Amino acid sequence: MGDKAHAHPGAAGGVPAAGHPGAVRNVVLVGPSGSGKTTLVEALAAAAGAVNRAGRVEDGATVSDYDDIERRRRRSVQLSLVPVAWDGCKINLLDTPGYADFVGELRAGLRAADAALFVVSAAQDAASVAATTRAAWEECALVGMERAIVVTHLDTARTSYREMNRICADAFGGEDPDAVLPLYLPVLGPEGADGHAPLTGLTGLLSRRVLDYSSGERVELPPAPDQEEPLRAARDRLIEGIIAESEDESLMDRYLDGEDLDVATLIADLERAVARGSFHPVLTAAPAAEGARQGIGTVELLELITRGFPTPLERTPPAVTTPSGEPRPAPVCDPGGPLVAEIVKTDSDPYVGRVSLVRVFSGTLRPDDSVHLCGHGLDATGHASRPCHEAEIRVGALTSPFGRRQYALDRCVAGDLACVARLGGAETGDTLSPADDPVLIEPWSTPDPLLPLAVRAHGKADEDKLSQGLARLVAEDPTLRLEQNPDTGQVVLWCLGEAHQEVALERLRSRYGVQVDTEAHRVPLRETFAGRAAGRGRHVKQSGGHGQFAICEIEVEPLPPGSGIEFVDRVVGGSVPRRFILSVEKGVRAQAARGLAAGRPLVDVRVTLLDGKAHSVDSSDAAFQTAGALALREAASDTRVQLLEPVCEVSVLVPDDYVGPVMSDLSGRRGCVVGTEQSPGGRTLVRAQVPEIEVGRYAVDLRSLSHGTGRFDRAYARHEAMPPHVADRVRAEREDGSPGA
């Protein structure tokens, strides 16, 4: 926006040090997978002098995609930090994954940042742009985070900057499309053999000055004749948009009177509008041309970040409470204030151990400080999954990360980010505060993982390491949830999608040396009696010496859902001695827990002991337990045993265009749609009740059905009778030895 076109390299290795919050800019890059976020970070780092040459994702040579998994997949799967220096400021660039499975990393980046760059590829259509970035845009709007838009891939064939500006205005402008306007127009070179005109530079709409990418200087360059009219129209619209956001009410009258407004005044108003979050400029970026010193648009972006984006002093830190939940005054971004810091990401290094990326909201964090560590123990849904943990710990060495590399720091002031190694049992979302006055930062929200993955140790050597490896995974990633299912006995890792599952398994193998096997997730089914039945259990054995003798007669009748197992004693005359009645009940309950027709727990029945026989010598507790189990099995053969399946209350939020397909799909899953509600932004909330067996992979299927625009949640409602044809299939799968439901 201004005329500075030179880089300001930072400390050793391109890592600058921050001395005050006013010199820090924390910027998160948001956008779908493949939009060019990582490539843009490389270009900005090269333009700022932090690296000598921008690396390529295809070569596995970028700073931010340093994990071996990312290099193999050529896709970001975790949050990474690349700090650079520009115009006396430290810019913390937070590169986030664009794939929906790793939205937890995006939420962590939003927590650590004070402004966002939304990266949009010109190769995408309007539906893709809106679908993959609207949710994050709305999240930023809710917290008042400043946003700008960067259009990439304009250097590819069949792209249009004008069309991309229209798409961005429609997707992000909401009711005010004039709040989303371009700051520059592209300068196109001569058309090639394919008829495509390459992007060679940018023309500033306010200054009309062009950066010469071969010399690094800004020059006056009149537009081509066929570009004069579009340039004038875009410039007029931008000026009108800036004036509409200006605090100087006289500007509009002066502009309408034909006065040529001072460019410096317009730029100052533009920067204030961006910092307030009321104006969202559109810029473009492209790789460096042959012989150029930096990529196209990188200098303009760095200028926007340093001059138009807010400092940590202008952002409100998150609310805090005492560890017991009592409200405390909001922290202030003051390096001299009490320490309030949060772990926004936890990683593991094979040599260093656990490494925590910390955002300091107040105070100054120094090596060897004694601090209070406190965590909520919350899972992704906001429910307590483990005890709230607290500890007094000593801070070790502080480092500034630059991708994989770490550079020593002597302090981290309020508003800045740093890494701390070996913080005991620290987890993502934990708070660091003074030992004598501890506080707890309110947690940020993460989506509930709804795709189950049942795992078991591959061999004996892996059994001891499995629980520790899974616990570390969950501590690092709040969007993973670990469950030991008491009904099925399975260890279940709940994930956000298939890619999330694959990365979790790969990290178990590569980081923690745990080999695991996966198996089908089993849904906890139940059994019950469809009608009244009677059974007689006879356990009589005599083979010399002490024998076994026990006979009991029972009656079984169904009860309403949720009743469990009820045992009633109606023996008269002492035919079953009192000391053995409890034995019969034990045998009945043990057999009910093992199941009958399909090996699932029996519920919602009343078992009445009517009569029996005992022997003065051969009867025993074990004999009557066996007789009770036999009686229950005989009763089951006298009537139909129903399978009960869990039914979920499912809420699906999708754009209006997908309501029909979603409702049809839910009906095909034996679901019952119970209602719909209109939601803001042209979306509809569909409520339905669906058997849990049918929604095991719904997280994947809904994403495909709605082109990534839908999301859902579910909650257990009840168990109800399974249709006979489905129950027959489950029983057949059990007889074949397959996992079934």
Side-chain angles (χ1 to χ4, degrees), residues 124-425:
Q124 294 177 300
D125 56 23
S128 299
V129 172
T132 52
T133 55
R134 181 181 294 170
W137 184 271
E138 292 174 354
E139 285 187 44
C140 293
L142 286 174
V143 298
M145 181 178 286
E146 287 68 17
R147 289 145 283 160
I149 302 154
V150 184
V151 177
T152 59
H153 298 155
L154 272 174
D155 52 331
T156 58
R158 294 180 296 277
T159 56
S160 167
Y161 189 54
R162 182 180 300 177
E163 177 65 12
M164 286 309 302
N165 278 303
R166 184 194 64 78
I167 289 174
C168 291
D170 291 343
F172 307 125
E175 297 179 357
D176 185 13
D178 285 339
V180 179
L181 293 172
L183 294 186
Y184 300 89
L185 283 188
V187 177
L188 303 177
E191 292 187 358
D194 59 356
H196 176 61
L199 179 66
T200 61
L202 301 176
T203 299
L205 291 179
L206 294 181
S207 65
R208 292 179 180 263
R209 292 168 69 83
V210 177
L211 178 64
D212 185 336
Y213 283 87
S214 59
S215 65
E217 301 296 330
R218 294 194 186 277
V219 297
E220 296 286 350
L221 182 66
D226 60 340
Q227 292 181 323
E228 176 64 40
E229 190 58 35
L231 177 61
R232 183 183 296 111
R235 185 173 191 271
D236 290 345
R237 191 178 178 198
L238 175 61
I239 292 174
E240 291 170 6
I242 294 172
I243 292 174
E245 300 294 338
S246 175
E247 297 174 357
D248 186 350
E249 298 180 357
S250 68
L251 279 183
M252 181 60 76
D253 293 334
R254 290 159 55 192
Y255 175 71
L256 293 177
D257 289 340
E259 181 179 336
D260 191 10
L261 300 178
D262 180 52
V263 172
T265 300
L266 292 173
I267 290 177
D269 280 335
L270 168 66
E271 291 167 351
R272 282 191 289 269
V274 172
R276 287 198 307 266
S278 57
F279 185 82
H280 313 296
V282 181
L283 299 92
T284 191
E290 188 71 27
R293 295 176 55 183
Q294 64 269 317
I296 296 173
T298 53
V299 170
E300 289 83 355
L301 267 175
L302 291 167
E303 290 179 352
L304 174 68
I305 291 170
T306 54
R307 299 177 59 177
F309 277 4
T311 71
L313 295 168
E314 300 169 75
R315 298 280 300 158
T316 302
V320 298
T321 65
T322 64
S324 60
E326 300 173 5
R328 290 293 304 274
V332 178
C333 186
D334 178 8
L339 177 68
V340 179
E342 184 177 31
I343 298 172
V344 295
K345 177 176 172 56
T346 308
D347 206 348
S348 293
D349 186 276
Y351 304 104
V352 179
R354 187 172 295 187
V355 179
S356 303
L357 178 62
V358 175
R359 162 75 191 252
V360 179
F361 290 102
S362 174
T364 300
L365 187 65
R366 294 181 175 86
D368 297 326
D369 280 352
S370 293
V371 299
H372 183 87
L373 173 72
C374 188
H376 294 271
L378 302 180
D379 62 17
T381 62
H383 299 101
S385 61
R386 51 196 178 275
C388 179
H389 52 279
E390 297 186 60
E392 304 296 326
I393 60 174
R394 182 174 293 275
V395 176
L398 289 183
T399 57
S400 176
F402 190 78
R404 183 187 293 275
R405 291 171 288 174
Q406 301 283 340
Y407 297 89
L409 291 176
D410 61 351
R411 69 190 185 281
C412 181
V413 300
D416 203 1
L417 298 162
C419 280
V420 188
R422 300 188 182 95
L423 277 180

Side-chain angles (χ1 to χ4, degrees), residues 554-571:
I554 64 171
E555 182 181 72
V556 185
E557 57 185 315
L559 292 177
S563 301
I565 300 287
E566 183 180 328
F567 186 84
V568 179
D569 168 27
R570 288 189 182 167
V571 174

